[in-house]
Amino acid sequence: MARQLIAGNWKMNGQGAQLDFFDDLVSEIAAVDVDILICPPATLIERCARAVDSAMIAIGGQDCHVNEKGAHTGDVSAGMLKDAGASFVIVGHSERRADHGETSAIVKAKAEAVLASGLTPVICVGETLAERESGEAERVVVEQMLASLPDEASDRCEIAYEPVWAIGTGKVASTDDILQMHSALNNALPSGVSARLLYGGSVKPDNAAAILSLDHVDGALVGGASLKASDFASIIKNSIR
Ligand code: 13P
């Protein structure tokens, strides 16, 4: 059984004052047998990486450009994120897909750029409410995953299933729906790809244990509740199998 990965996505939140988070988190979790990842905004990656013991907490980016360098004002490359101290990069978050028109082909190219830089991509997939209500959720999400995975099969990819309608809404998918989707994703993974399957979307201290104990749920990608050390610590403690 894979070790669980509990990842926090701070989105566009956090400035230097937020760095106390790490002392507060470490004081609550001591030695736990899970992988922990925090993805702060790019401006904080280097400071976060300096603030943590990388053996205990990994730092990641929230997005990267497909290219290594060049005339792309405002963008950062996977190599730059690595240089700043990141070891993971989230790609294809639904907010990027929706706000920046990122297709699965772009997400795949980003995931390949992340691997090429020696980092681990966390590839996000998820259906909209309309897709779920029309019974298309499983087809859409499996297709998104297959179209977003790098060509080179790798055991250095993580997948996060995040139903769009569950993100930031307090509406969590039912355990039956999560179990069904994660089983479908697990079955659809190409041979040679042993990605962990994370669930994301309104994961909170009070629902984490039920979600993280499901088959084929190998961790969580946490938004809002990752901004508060005590909430994130409680989710981590609920992940221990
Ligand atoms: P919330 O946990 O705030 O719903 O966000 C989930 C998410 O989008 C993590 O990437």
Side-chain angles (χ1 to χ4, degrees):
M1 208 180 263
R3 202 172 137 106
Q4 299 247 20
L5 171 61
I6 307 299
N9 174 9
W10 283 2
K11 308 192 179 184
M12 199 171 72
N13 297 290
Q15 299 191 2
Q18 185 84 7
L19 295 181
D20 289 352
F21 172 92
F22 293 103
D23 285 340
D24 296 346
L25 181 64
V26 168
S27 71
E28 294 211 35
I29 55 176
V32 288
D33 192 24
V34 289
D35 291 336
I36 301 170
L37 167 65
I38 291 289
C39 299
T43 48
L44 280 185
I45 288 177
E46 185 151 5
R47 276 179 281 173
C48 288
R50 285 186 204 282
V52 300
D53 171 0
S54 61
M56 188 175 186
I57 301 173
I59 300 299
Q62 299 175 8
D63 176 50
C64 67
H65 196 273
V66 297
N67 292 341
E68 266 175 61
K69 60 182 178 167
H72 305 288
T73 303
D75 280 315
V76 293
S77 69
M80 290 168 172
L81 295 172
K82 181 182 186 183
D83 184 51
S87 47
F88 289 76
V89 186
I90 297 171
V91 292
H93 192 282
S94 62
E95 287 152 13
R96 303 276 329 163
R97 290 180 188 258
D99 297 353
H100 299 268
E102 290 189 10
T103 61
S104 291
I106 294 173
V107 175
K108 174 179 173 174
K110 290 187 173 194
E112 285 174 345
V114 173
L115 284 176
S117 291
L119 308 184
T120 300
V122 180
I123 302 168
C124 299
V125 293
E127 83 284 2
T128 61
L129 186 58
E131 287 161 344
R132 173 148 295 272
E133 285 177 342
S134 63
E136 294 291 292
E138 196 171 304
R139 182 188 61 75
V140 166
V141 173
V142 167
E143 274 178 21
Q144 246 181 33
M145 180 185 78
L146 293 176
S148 304
L149 271 171
D151 279 337
E152 288 292 310
S154 170
D155 59 2
R156 225 164 17 84
C157 288
E158 319 284 6
I159 310 282
Y161 166 54
E162 300 202 301
V164 175
W165 48 271
I167 293 176
T169 58
K171 284 187 206 149
V172 67
S174 72
T175 48
D176 281 351
D177 287 345
I178 298 172
L179 181 60
Q180 198 179 335
M181 187 63 81
H182 278 240
S183 302
L185 291 172
N186 184 60
N187 290 337
L189 272 176
S191 62
V193 181
S194 58
R196 284 181 287 193
L197 301 174
L198 317 184
Y199 169 79
S202 297
V203 176
K204 305 286 178 206
D206 63 357
N207 60 25
I211 295 169
L212 290 164
S213 60
L214 294 170
D215 278 352
H216 305 304
V217 174
D218 305 311
L221 182 54
V222 184
S226 73
L227 292 168
K228 202 171 152 200
S230 57
D231 284 353
F232 195 59
S234 160
I235 292 170
I236 290 168
K237 287 187 236 166
N238 275 304
S239 71
I240 296 155
R241 285 180 154 142

